[in-house]
Amino acid sequence: MEMVIGMDAGLIASFKKEIRGEVIMPSDDNYNSTRKVYNANIDKHPGMMVKCVDVADVIASVNFGRENNLLIAVRGGGHNGGGLGICDEGMVIDLSGLKFIRVDTSNNTVRVGGGNLWGEVDHATHAFGLAIPAGIISTTGVGGLTLGGGVGYLSRKYGLTIDNLLEADMVLADGSFVTVNAKQNADLFWAIRGGGGNFGIVTSFKFQAHPLKTVIGGPTLWPIEQTEEIMSWYDEFIHKAPEDLNGFIATMVIPGPPFPEQLHNKQFCGIVWCYTGKPDKFEEIFKPVLAKKPLFEHVGEMPYPSIQTLFDGLFPPGLQWYWRADFFNKLGPEVRAGHLKYGSKIPTPLSQMHLYPISGAAAKPGATDTPWAYRDAKYAGVIVGVDPDPGNADKITSWCKDYYDALHPYSSGGAYTNFMMDEGQERVKASYRQNYQRLSSIKKQYDPNNLFRVNQNIMPSN
Protein backbone atom coordinates (compact mmCIF):
# COMPACT_ATOMS: atom_id res chain seq x y z
CA MET A 1 0.00 0.00 0.00
CA GLU A 2 1.41 3.34 -1.02
CA MET A 3 1.39 6.56 0.93
CA VAL A 4 0.39 9.93 -0.45
CA ILE A 5 3.57 11.38 1.05
CA GLY A 6 6.29 11.09 -1.55
CA MET A 7 3.78 10.66 -4.35
CA ASP A 8 4.67 12.33 -7.63
CA ALA A 9 3.72 16.03 -7.41
CA GLY A 10 2.50 16.04 -11.00
CA LEU A 11 0.10 13.19 -10.24
CA ILE A 12 -1.37 15.11 -7.31
CA ALA A 13 -1.59 18.31 -9.38
CA SER A 14 -3.53 16.59 -12.15
CA PHE A 15 -5.86 14.98 -9.58
CA LYS A 16 -6.57 18.41 -8.05
CA LYS A 17 -7.66 19.65 -11.49
CA GLU A 18 -10.31 16.92 -11.60
CA ILE A 19 -11.86 18.01 -8.30
CA ARG A 20 -14.33 20.89 -7.92
CA GLY A 21 -14.01 20.74 -4.14
CA GLU A 22 -10.86 21.23 -2.11
CA VAL A 23 -7.89 18.85 -1.82
CA ILE A 24 -6.14 19.45 1.51
CA MET A 25 -2.54 18.31 1.99
CA PRO A 26 -0.44 18.13 5.20
CA SER A 27 1.36 21.34 4.19
CA ASP A 28 -1.90 23.33 3.99
CA ASP A 29 -2.86 25.79 6.73
CA ASN A 30 -6.26 24.20 7.30
CA TYR A 31 -4.90 20.63 7.46
CA ASN A 32 -4.93 20.31 11.26
CA SER A 33 -8.37 21.83 11.72
CA THR A 34 -9.83 19.65 8.94
CA ARG A 35 -8.40 16.36 10.16
CA LYS A 36 -10.01 16.76 13.60
CA VAL A 37 -12.93 14.43 14.25
CA TYR A 38 -15.70 14.50 16.87
CA ASN A 39 -13.78 12.19 19.22
CA ALA A 40 -10.62 14.04 20.28
CA ASN A 41 -9.18 10.72 21.47
CA ILE A 42 -8.61 9.96 17.76
CA ASP A 43 -5.55 11.67 16.31
CA LYS A 44 -4.82 10.56 12.77
CA HIS A 45 -2.78 12.17 9.98
CA PRO A 46 -4.08 11.41 6.49
CA GLY A 47 -1.91 12.01 3.44
CA MET A 48 -4.70 13.98 1.74
CA MET A 49 -8.30 14.98 2.42
CA VAL A 50 -10.70 15.59 -0.44
CA LYS A 51 -13.69 17.77 0.37
CA CYS A 52 -16.12 16.61 -2.30
CA VAL A 53 -18.89 18.92 -3.50
CA ASP A 54 -20.62 16.56 -5.94
CA VAL A 55 -20.79 12.96 -7.11
CA ALA A 56 -18.16 13.61 -9.81
CA ASP A 57 -15.67 14.50 -7.05
CA VAL A 58 -16.47 11.27 -5.23
CA ILE A 59 -16.00 9.19 -8.39
CA ALA A 60 -12.67 10.89 -9.19
CA SER A 61 -11.47 10.37 -5.60
CA VAL A 62 -12.40 6.67 -5.54
CA ASN A 63 -10.67 6.10 -8.87
CA PHE A 64 -7.53 7.98 -7.81
CA GLY A 65 -7.36 6.14 -4.49
CA ARG A 66 -7.85 2.73 -6.11
CA GLU A 67 -5.41 3.33 -8.97
CA ASN A 68 -2.72 4.51 -6.56
CA ASN A 69 -3.34 1.81 -3.99
CA LEU A 70 -4.19 4.30 -1.24
CA LEU A 71 -5.93 3.49 2.02
CA ILE A 72 -9.34 5.21 1.83
CA ALA A 73 -11.47 6.48 4.71
CA VAL A 74 -14.91 7.95 4.08
CA ARG A 75 -16.17 10.76 6.27
CA GLY A 76 -19.81 11.79 6.54
CA GLY A 77 -20.64 13.62 9.76
CA GLY A 78 -17.39 12.61 11.44
CA HIS A 79 -19.07 11.38 14.65
CA ASN A 80 -17.86 7.79 14.50
CA GLY A 81 -16.69 6.73 17.98
CA GLY A 82 -13.85 4.58 16.70
CA GLY A 83 -12.59 7.33 14.38
CA LEU A 84 -13.36 5.26 11.29
CA GLY A 85 -14.01 8.38 9.21
CA ILE A 86 -10.30 9.14 9.07
CA CYS A 87 -7.02 7.25 8.55
CA ASP A 88 -3.27 7.63 8.78
CA GLU A 89 -1.30 8.32 5.58
CA GLY A 90 -4.05 7.48 3.07
CA MET A 91 -6.89 9.50 1.59
CA VAL A 92 -10.00 10.80 3.33
CA ILE A 93 -13.03 11.27 1.09
CA ASP A 94 -14.99 13.93 2.97
CA LEU A 95 -18.67 14.19 2.00
CA SER A 96 -19.50 17.28 4.08
CA GLY A 97 -19.96 19.34 0.90
CA LEU A 98 -22.68 16.98 -0.38
CA LYS A 99 -25.58 18.64 1.40
CA PHE A 100 -29.11 18.94 0.06
CA ILE A 101 -32.55 18.10 1.42
CA ARG A 102 -35.66 17.82 -0.71
CA VAL A 103 -39.01 17.04 0.89
CA ASP A 104 -41.65 15.60 -1.43
CA THR A 105 -45.01 16.29 0.20
CA SER A 106 -46.90 14.17 -2.33
CA ASN A 107 -45.64 10.98 -0.64
CA ASN A 108 -43.73 12.29 2.44
CA THR A 109 -40.36 11.17 1.13
CA VAL A 110 -37.13 13.06 1.72
CA ARG A 111 -33.95 13.00 -0.33
CA VAL A 112 -30.82 13.84 1.65
CA GLY A 113 -27.15 14.34 0.71
CA GLY A 114 -24.44 11.97 1.90
CA GLY A 115 -22.81 14.77 3.92
CA ASN A 116 -25.85 16.08 5.79
CA LEU A 117 -26.23 16.06 9.57
CA TRP A 118 -29.49 14.98 11.22
CA GLY A 119 -30.13 18.44 12.67
CA GLU A 120 -30.26 19.85 9.14
CA VAL A 121 -32.72 17.16 8.09
CA ASP A 122 -34.91 17.70 11.18
CA HIS A 123 -35.01 21.43 10.47
CA ALA A 124 -36.12 20.86 6.87
CA THR A 125 -38.72 18.17 7.57
CA HIS A 126 -40.19 19.89 10.64
CA ALA A 127 -41.48 22.76 8.50
CA PHE A 128 -43.72 20.18 6.78
CA GLY A 129 -44.75 18.46 10.02
CA LEU A 130 -42.64 15.40 9.20
CA ALA A 131 -39.83 13.43 10.87
CA ILE A 132 -37.48 10.57 9.98
CA PRO A 133 -36.39 8.21 12.77
CA ALA A 134 -32.76 8.94 13.65
CA GLY A 135 -30.58 8.95 16.78
CA ILE A 136 -30.63 11.25 19.82
CA ILE A 137 -27.98 13.88 18.94
CA SER A 138 -28.59 16.22 16.02
CA THR A 139 -24.91 16.69 15.13
CA THR A 140 -24.71 13.02 14.05
CA GLY A 141 -24.08 12.42 10.34
CA VAL A 142 -26.91 10.96 8.26
CA GLY A 143 -24.62 8.52 6.43
CA GLY A 144 -22.88 6.76 9.30
CA LEU A 145 -25.97 6.52 11.49
CA THR A 146 -28.13 5.17 8.67
CA LEU A 147 -25.68 2.61 7.29
CA GLY A 148 -25.17 1.17 10.77
CA GLY A 149 -28.89 0.90 11.58
CA GLY A 150 -30.16 4.02 13.33
CA VAL A 151 -31.52 3.55 16.87
CA GLY A 152 -33.18 6.53 18.54
CA TYR A 153 -36.24 8.21 20.03
CA LEU A 154 -38.64 7.02 17.32
CA SER A 155 -37.51 3.36 17.12
CA ARG A 156 -40.50 1.85 18.91
CA LYS A 157 -42.98 3.82 16.81
CA TYR A 158 -41.39 3.92 13.33
CA GLY A 159 -38.50 1.43 13.47
CA LEU A 160 -34.81 1.96 12.88
CA THR A 161 -33.56 4.49 10.34
CA ILE A 162 -32.81 1.62 7.90
CA ASP A 163 -36.46 0.53 8.10
CA ASN A 164 -37.33 3.92 6.59
CA LEU A 165 -34.68 3.93 3.87
CA LEU A 166 -36.25 3.61 0.42
CA GLU A 167 -33.32 4.21 -1.90
CA ALA A 168 -29.69 5.27 -2.12
CA ASP A 169 -27.25 6.48 -4.77
CA MET A 170 -23.80 4.96 -4.46
CA VAL A 171 -20.31 5.15 -5.90
CA LEU A 172 -18.79 1.66 -5.94
CA ALA A 173 -15.16 0.57 -5.58
CA ASP A 174 -14.70 0.42 -9.35
CA GLY A 175 -15.85 4.05 -9.66
CA SER A 176 -19.24 3.17 -11.13
CA PHE A 177 -22.44 4.87 -9.94
CA VAL A 178 -25.59 2.91 -9.04
CA THR A 179 -29.01 3.52 -7.55
CA VAL A 180 -30.16 0.87 -5.10
CA ASN A 181 -33.68 0.14 -3.88
CA ALA A 182 -36.03 -2.82 -3.48
CA LYS A 183 -36.19 -3.30 -7.29
CA GLN A 184 -32.75 -2.14 -8.50
CA ASN A 185 -29.59 -3.77 -7.15
CA ALA A 186 -31.69 -5.34 -4.40
CA ASP A 187 -28.74 -7.28 -2.92
CA LEU A 188 -26.78 -4.05 -2.39
CA PHE A 189 -29.87 -2.34 -1.02
CA TRP A 190 -30.18 -5.18 1.53
CA ALA A 191 -26.49 -4.91 2.45
CA ILE A 192 -26.36 -1.17 3.14
CA ARG A 193 -29.28 -1.35 5.58
CA GLY A 194 -27.00 -2.10 8.52
CA GLY A 195 -23.83 -3.33 6.76
CA GLY A 196 -22.06 0.02 7.17
CA GLY A 197 -19.79 1.67 4.62
CA ASN A 198 -18.41 -1.63 3.32
CA PHE A 199 -20.09 -1.63 -0.08
CA GLY A 200 -19.52 1.82 -1.51
CA ILE A 201 -19.96 5.51 -0.79
CA VAL A 202 -23.56 6.65 -0.46
CA THR A 203 -23.96 10.10 -2.02
CA SER A 204 -27.69 10.40 -1.44
CA PHE A 205 -30.40 8.75 0.65
CA LYS A 206 -34.16 8.67 0.14
CA PHE A 207 -36.23 8.18 3.28
CA GLN A 208 -39.86 7.68 4.19
CA ALA A 209 -40.84 10.41 6.64
CA HIS A 210 -43.78 10.32 9.08
CA PRO A 211 -46.24 12.99 10.20
CA LEU A 212 -44.85 14.26 13.52
CA LYS A 213 -44.72 17.84 14.69
CA THR A 214 -44.41 17.72 18.48
CA VAL A 215 -43.53 15.10 21.08
CA ILE A 216 -43.85 14.93 24.85
CA GLY A 217 -40.45 14.16 26.28
CA GLY A 218 -37.68 14.75 28.75
CA PRO A 219 -35.89 13.07 31.66
CA THR A 220 -37.01 11.45 34.91
CA LEU A 221 -34.28 10.79 37.51
CA TRP A 222 -33.95 8.50 40.51
CA PRO A 223 -31.06 8.24 42.99
CA ILE A 224 -28.41 5.79 41.73
CA GLU A 225 -29.15 3.56 44.76
CA GLN A 226 -32.55 2.73 43.19
CA THR A 227 -30.97 1.49 39.93
CA GLU A 228 -31.87 -2.19 40.41
CA GLU A 229 -35.47 -1.46 41.36
CA ILE A 230 -36.02 1.04 38.51
CA MET A 231 -34.38 -1.22 35.91
CA SER A 232 -36.46 -4.20 36.98
CA TRP A 233 -39.67 -2.14 36.70
CA TYR A 234 -38.57 -0.56 33.39
CA ASP A 235 -37.72 -3.96 31.87
CA GLU A 236 -41.33 -5.02 32.43
CA PHE A 237 -42.94 -1.70 31.57
CA ILE A 238 -41.28 -0.45 28.38
CA HIS A 239 -41.91 -3.43 26.08
CA LYS A 240 -45.60 -3.57 27.02
CA ALA A 241 -46.11 0.20 26.75
CA PRO A 242 -47.85 1.60 23.65
CA GLU A 243 -45.40 2.02 20.74
CA ASP A 244 -45.93 5.78 20.96
CA LEU A 245 -43.89 5.79 24.17
CA ASN A 246 -40.12 5.37 23.98
CA GLY A 247 -37.65 5.80 26.79
CA PHE A 248 -33.99 4.89 27.08
CA ILE A 249 -32.63 4.12 30.54
CA ALA A 250 -29.27 5.41 31.72
CA THR A 251 -26.77 5.57 34.54
CA MET A 252 -25.48 9.12 34.51
CA VAL A 253 -24.21 12.16 36.36
CA ILE A 254 -25.96 15.51 36.10
CA PRO A 255 -23.09 17.72 34.88
CA GLY A 256 -24.69 21.12 35.57
CA PRO A 257 -27.25 23.52 34.05
CA PRO A 258 -29.99 23.41 32.81
CA PHE A 259 -30.64 21.03 35.75
CA PRO A 260 -31.26 22.43 39.26
CA GLU A 261 -28.16 22.98 41.36
CA GLN A 262 -28.99 20.37 44.01
CA LEU A 263 -28.63 17.65 41.33
CA HIS A 264 -25.23 18.74 39.99
CA ASN A 265 -22.41 16.15 40.03
CA LYS A 266 -24.62 13.49 41.63
CA GLN A 267 -25.15 10.02 40.13
CA PHE A 268 -28.56 8.91 38.92
CA CYS A 269 -30.52 6.24 37.20
CA GLY A 270 -32.42 8.19 34.56
CA ILE A 271 -34.91 7.55 31.79
CA VAL A 272 -35.27 9.96 28.88
CA TRP A 273 -38.79 9.72 27.43
CA CYS A 274 -40.24 10.54 24.03
CA TYR A 275 -43.97 10.15 23.35
CA THR A 276 -45.36 10.57 19.83
CA GLY A 277 -49.06 9.89 20.41
CA LYS A 278 -52.13 12.00 21.17
CA PRO A 279 -51.33 14.46 23.97
CA ASP A 280 -54.62 13.76 25.79
CA LYS A 281 -53.65 10.09 26.21
CA PHE A 282 -50.21 10.83 27.66
CA GLU A 283 -51.18 11.38 31.28
CA GLU A 284 -52.78 7.95 31.55
CA ILE A 285 -49.87 6.17 29.84
CA PHE A 286 -47.32 8.00 32.01
CA LYS A 287 -49.05 7.30 35.37
CA PRO A 288 -46.93 4.18 36.14
CA VAL A 289 -43.77 6.26 35.67
CA LEU A 290 -44.85 8.93 38.13
CA ALA A 291 -45.97 6.18 40.53
CA LYS A 292 -42.25 5.29 40.82
CA LYS A 293 -41.78 8.76 42.41
CA PRO A 294 -38.86 10.18 40.43
CA LEU A 295 -36.66 12.58 42.37
CA PHE A 296 -36.73 14.89 39.34
CA GLU A 297 -39.09 14.99 36.39
CA HIS A 298 -39.00 17.44 33.51
CA VAL A 299 -41.27 16.03 30.82
CA GLY A 300 -43.26 18.30 28.54
CA GLU A 301 -44.43 19.02 25.03
CA MET A 302 -41.83 20.27 22.55
CA PRO A 303 -41.17 20.33 18.79
CA TYR A 304 -39.50 17.10 17.64
CA PRO A 305 -36.22 18.89 16.69
CA SER A 306 -35.99 20.11 20.30
CA ILE A 307 -35.77 16.63 21.77
CA GLN A 308 -33.20 15.72 19.11
CA THR A 309 -31.01 18.65 20.23
CA LEU A 310 -31.58 18.22 23.99
CA PHE A 311 -28.04 16.91 24.60
CA ASP A 312 -26.16 18.67 21.79
CA GLY A 313 -24.82 21.33 24.14
CA LEU A 314 -23.35 18.77 26.53
CA PHE A 315 -21.51 16.94 23.74
CA PRO A 316 -19.76 19.44 21.47
CA PRO A 317 -17.05 18.15 19.10
CA GLY A 318 -13.58 17.79 20.59
CA LEU A 319 -14.23 15.81 23.78
CA GLN A 320 -12.30 12.65 24.65
CA TRP A 321 -14.50 9.56 24.07
CA TYR A 322 -14.16 5.86 24.65
CA TRP A 323 -17.04 3.55 23.65
CA ARG A 324 -18.11 -0.02 24.48
CA ALA A 325 -21.38 -1.70 23.51
CA ASP A 326 -23.47 -4.88 23.73
CA PHE A 327 -26.96 -6.14 22.99
CA PHE A 328 -28.98 -7.54 25.92
CA ASN A 329 -32.02 -9.82 25.93
CA LYS A 330 -33.01 -9.01 29.50
CA LEU A 331 -32.02 -6.94 32.49
CA GLY A 332 -31.61 -9.83 34.93
CA PRO A 333 -30.40 -9.51 38.54
CA GLU A 334 -26.69 -9.76 37.63
CA VAL A 335 -27.07 -7.09 34.94
CA ARG A 336 -28.94 -4.76 37.29
CA ALA A 337 -26.33 -5.27 40.02
CA GLY A 338 -23.55 -4.46 37.52
CA HIS A 339 -25.29 -1.24 36.50
CA LEU A 340 -25.64 -0.22 40.15
CA LYS A 341 -21.97 -0.97 40.83
CA TYR A 342 -20.47 0.84 37.84
CA GLY A 343 -23.18 3.49 37.64
CA SER A 344 -22.11 4.44 41.18
CA LYS A 345 -18.49 4.89 40.01
CA ILE A 346 -18.99 7.14 36.98
CA PRO A 347 -15.59 8.86 36.66
CA THR A 348 -16.47 12.18 34.97
CA PRO A 349 -19.69 14.20 34.67
CA LEU A 350 -20.26 13.40 30.96
CA SER A 351 -19.56 9.64 31.14
CA GLN A 352 -22.69 7.49 31.04
CA MET A 353 -24.41 4.24 30.09
CA HIS A 354 -27.55 3.99 27.93
CA LEU A 355 -29.86 1.08 27.12
CA TYR A 356 -32.12 1.71 24.11
CA PRO A 357 -35.20 -0.51 23.84
CA ILE A 358 -35.45 -2.62 20.68
CA SER A 359 -39.16 -3.31 20.63
CA GLY A 360 -42.33 -2.21 18.91
CA ALA A 361 -41.67 -1.34 15.26
CA ALA A 362 -37.90 -1.93 15.61
CA ALA A 363 -38.49 -5.58 16.54
CA LYS A 364 -40.94 -6.37 13.72
CA PRO A 365 -38.53 -7.12 10.82
CA GLY A 366 -37.04 -10.62 10.84
CA ALA A 367 -33.43 -11.35 11.76
CA THR A 368 -32.41 -11.69 8.09
CA ASP A 369 -34.68 -9.02 6.54
CA THR A 370 -31.80 -6.56 6.95
CA PRO A 371 -28.19 -7.14 8.07
CA TRP A 372 -29.20 -5.78 11.51
CA ALA A 373 -29.29 -9.21 13.12
CA TYR A 374 -30.42 -8.46 16.66
CA ARG A 375 -34.10 -7.66 16.15
CA ASP A 376 -34.86 -10.09 18.99
CA ALA A 377 -32.56 -8.36 21.50
CA LYS A 378 -34.48 -6.19 23.92
CA TYR A 379 -31.78 -3.52 24.31
CA ALA A 380 -28.87 -1.92 22.49
CA GLY A 381 -26.53 -0.91 25.28
CA VAL A 382 -23.64 1.54 25.15
CA ILE A 383 -21.14 2.71 27.75
CA VAL A 384 -19.24 5.92 27.02
CA GLY A 385 -16.36 7.44 28.92
CA VAL A 386 -16.37 11.16 28.07
CA ASP A 387 -14.35 14.15 29.25
CA PRO A 388 -12.88 17.34 27.77
CA ASP A 389 -9.48 16.76 29.42
CA PRO A 390 -7.00 14.47 27.58
CA GLY A 391 -5.43 13.91 31.02
CA ASN A 392 -8.54 11.91 31.96
CA ALA A 393 -8.41 9.63 28.90
CA ASP A 394 -7.06 6.65 30.87
CA LYS A 395 -9.57 7.14 33.67
CA ILE A 396 -12.62 7.19 31.36
CA THR A 397 -11.28 4.30 29.27
CA SER A 398 -10.62 1.98 32.20
CA TRP A 399 -14.03 2.68 33.78
CA CYS A 400 -15.69 1.97 30.44
CA LYS A 401 -13.76 -1.29 29.93
CA ASP A 402 -14.42 -2.48 33.51
CA TYR A 403 -18.15 -1.73 33.17
CA TYR A 404 -18.23 -3.60 29.84
CA ASP A 405 -16.23 -6.58 31.15
CA ALA A 406 -18.61 -6.97 34.10
CA LEU A 407 -21.75 -7.03 31.93
CA HIS A 408 -20.54 -8.64 28.69
CA PRO A 409 -20.98 -12.24 29.98
CA TYR A 410 -24.74 -11.54 30.29
CA SER A 411 -25.05 -9.96 26.83
CA SER A 412 -26.39 -11.43 23.57
CA GLY A 413 -22.94 -11.56 21.98
CA GLY A 414 -22.69 -8.76 19.42
CA ALA A 415 -23.16 -5.01 19.51
CA TYR A 416 -24.78 -2.21 17.53
CA THR A 417 -21.89 -1.38 15.19
CA ASN A 418 -22.41 2.41 15.47
CA PHE A 419 -21.52 2.10 19.17
CA MET A 420 -18.28 0.17 18.62
CA MET A 421 -14.65 1.22 18.57
CA ASP A 422 -12.21 -0.47 16.20
CA GLU A 423 -12.50 -3.90 17.87
CA GLY A 424 -11.50 -6.38 15.18
CA GLN A 425 -13.03 -9.07 12.98
CA GLU A 426 -14.50 -11.43 15.56
CA ARG A 427 -16.51 -8.61 17.11
CA VAL A 428 -17.82 -7.58 13.68
CA LYS A 429 -18.84 -11.18 12.90
CA ALA A 430 -20.61 -11.49 16.27
CA SER A 431 -22.54 -8.31 15.52
CA TYR A 432 -23.86 -9.57 12.17
CA ARG A 433 -24.52 -13.15 13.32
CA GLN A 434 -26.05 -15.30 10.56
CA ASN A 435 -25.99 -12.34 8.11
CA TYR A 436 -22.20 -12.08 7.98
CA GLN A 437 -21.79 -14.73 5.27
CA ARG A 438 -24.29 -13.09 2.93
CA LEU A 439 -22.70 -9.68 3.54
CA SER A 440 -19.29 -11.19 2.83
CA SER A 441 -20.47 -12.58 -0.55
CA ILE A 442 -22.01 -9.23 -1.54
CA LYS A 443 -18.77 -7.53 -0.48
CA LYS A 444 -16.82 -9.89 -2.76
CA GLN A 445 -19.07 -9.00 -5.67
CA TYR A 446 -18.87 -5.21 -5.26
CA ASP A 447 -15.56 -4.62 -3.46
CA PRO A 448 -13.44 -7.76 -3.99
CA ASN A 449 -10.17 -6.06 -2.99
CA ASN A 450 -11.65 -4.51 0.17
CA LEU A 451 -10.96 -0.94 -0.94
CA PHE A 452 -13.52 0.26 1.63
CA ARG A 453 -11.99 -1.24 4.75
CA VAL A 454 -11.70 1.66 7.20
CA ASN A 455 -15.01 0.71 8.85
CA GLN A 456 -16.48 -2.16 10.88
CA ASN A 457 -15.02 -4.29 8.18
CA ILE A 458 -16.75 -7.16 6.41
CA MET A 459 -14.12 -9.19 4.57
CA PRO A 460 -14.85 -10.29 0.98
CA SER A 461 -15.60 -14.03 0.99
CA ASN A 462 -12.85 -16.34 -0.34
Side-chain angles (χ1 to χ4, degrees):
M1 186 178 62
E2 289 182 24
M3 294 188 283
V4 178
I5 300 116
M7 186 183 274
D8 179 69
L11 200 60
I12 292 170
S14 65
F15 170 62
K16 284 183 173 180
K17 286 187 184 136
E18 278 187 74
I19 299 292
R20 265 186 69 213
E22 193 183 0
V23 179
I24 299 166
M25 305 299 288
S27 55
D28 292 331
D29 290 345
N30 57 347
Y31 174 79
N32 277 323
S33 58
T34 308
R35 72 180 180 84
K36 281 183 181 167
V37 288
Y38 185 76
N39 181 0
N41 217 353
I42 307 290
D43 183 26
K44 294 192 175 168
H45 295 75
M48 70 164 54
M49 293 175 283
V50 188
K51 299 200 90 164
C52 302
V53 294
D54 57 17
V55 173
D57 280 359
V58 178
I59 292 171
S61 302
V62 168
N63 288 337
F64 183 79
R66 185 189 65 252
E67 287 158 11
N68 292 286
N69 201 22
L70 297 176
L71 182 66
I72 292 177
V74 184
R75 182 172 174 180
H79 246 227
N80 182 276
L84 298 173
I86 195 159
C87 60
D88 279 321
E89 297 175 347
M91 166 198 260
V92 173
I93 299 177
D94 186 324
L95 305 178
S96 57
L98 267 73
K99 285 185 196 271
F100 50 83
I101 301 158
R102 184 174 183 275
V103 181
D104 184 342
T105 51
S106 72
N107 55 11
N108 291 351
T109 60
V110 187
R111 202 170 272 286
V112 178
N116 277 101
L117 306 182
W118 278 109
E120 296 159 351
V121 178
D122 293 337
H123 172 80
T125 54
H126 185 67
F128 298 97
L130 296 169
I132 301 164
I136 65 155
I137 301 261
S138 84
T139 55
T140 312
V142 170
L145 180 118
T146 302
L147 297 173
V151 176
Y153 286 120
L154 304 182
S155 299
R156 295 193 74 238
K157 178 67 175 174
Y158 296 120
L160 306 181
T161 309
I162 48 173
D163 301 330
N164 297 275
L165 180 64
L166 300 173
E167 188 172 284
D169 289 338
M170 296 175 69
V171 176
L172 304 180
D174 64 1
S176 62
F177 177 84
V178 294
T179 296
V180 304
N181 54 40
K183 293 195 173 82
Q184 277 172 276
N185 302 299
D187 55 345
L188 253 187
F189 181 57
W190 178 84
I192 64 166
R193 284 175 296 153
N198 276 285
F199 306 95
I201 299 179
V202 179
T203 55
S204 112
F205 296 88
K206 183 184 178 186
F207 296 103
Q208 183 65 59
H210 302 273
L212 182 66
K213 195 82 178 170
T214 60
V215 297
I216 298 174
T220 49
L221 302 176
W222 291 267
I224 195 73
E225 294 76 16
Q226 282 183 257
T227 297
E228 291 168 291
E229 173 204 341
I230 297 303
M231 281 194 170
S232 178
W233 162 79
Y234 167 86
D235 199 19
E236 282 290 304
F237 173 74
I238 193 68
H239 301 289
K240 292 176 182 162
E243 289 176 9
D244 276 312
L245 185 67
N246 195 74
F248 69 84
I249 192 163
T251 55
M252 61 200 288
V253 171
I254 294 303
F259 292 91
E261 204 172 321
Q262 68 269 25
L263 304 178
H264 294 184
N265 297 312
K266 294 195 170 84
Q267 286 148 349
F268 295 94
C269 175
I271 304 176
V272 183
W273 303 97
C274 178
Y275 171 75
T276 55
K278 293 193 170 82
D280 57 1
K281 299 264 171 65
F282 177 73
E283 205 176 314
E284 190 59 35
I285 290 169
F286 208 62
K287 262 185 191 164
V289 182
L290 298 180
K292 297 306 288 180
K293 299 192 167 53
L295 185 72
F296 175 81
E297 175 258 335
H298 191 75
V299 178
E301 193 161 352
M302 62 182 93
Y304 172 69
S306 298
I307 199 159
Q308 283 291 92
T309 54
L310 217 49
F311 301 111
D312 286 13
L314 292 176
F315 298 112
L319 302 176
Q320 303 281 318
W321 286 79
Y322 188 82
W323 301 61
R324 275 298 166 96
D326 264 320
F327 285 114
F328 291 91
N329 288 343
K330 57 181 187 294
L331 306 183
E334 302 89 350
V335 173
R336 301 196 299 267
H339 285 303
L340 171 63
K341 181 178 175 182
Y342 290 93
S344 305
K345 296 180 182 174
I346 294 174
T348 60
L350 293 172
S351 298
Q352 47 198 267
M353 182 287 307
H354 294 176
L355 289 161
Y356 296 89
I358 308 301
S359 66
K364 284 182 182 139
T368 57
D369 291 353
T370 63
W372 219 83
Y374 283 83
R375 299 290 185 160
D376 58 342
K378 290 286 186 274
Y379 303 98
V382 65
I383 305 157
V384 289
V386 192
D387 197 67
D389 182 0
N392 286 329
D394 287 347
K395 184 160 82 166
I396 60 175
T397 300
S398 56
W399 168 78
C400 194
K401 285 179 175 173
D402 290 348
Y403 202 147
Y404 168 83
D405 289 344
L407 291 173
H408 181 64
Y410 307 103
S411 75
S412 318
Y416 173 33
T417 55
N418 283 353
F419 288 160
M420 281 161 51
M421 299 291 282
D422 195 352
E423 297 170 32
Q425 261 303 290
E426 289 314 306
R427 197 79 178 112
V428 174
K429 283 181 180 169
S431 299
Y432 287 115
R433 271 179 172 166
Q434 68 281 353
N435 294 328
Y436 186 85
Q437 209 41 57
R438 183 177 172 194
L439 287 165
S440 182
S441 320
I442 296 170
K443 174 79 171 176
K444 185 178 186 184
Q445 190 183 342
Y446 292 99
D447 184 12
N449 299 316
N450 207 7
L451 184 71
F452 301 118
R453 61 184 177 276
V454 182
N455 45 37
Q456 299 297 353
N457 194 233
I458 291 158
M459 303 285 284
S461 60
N462 295 329

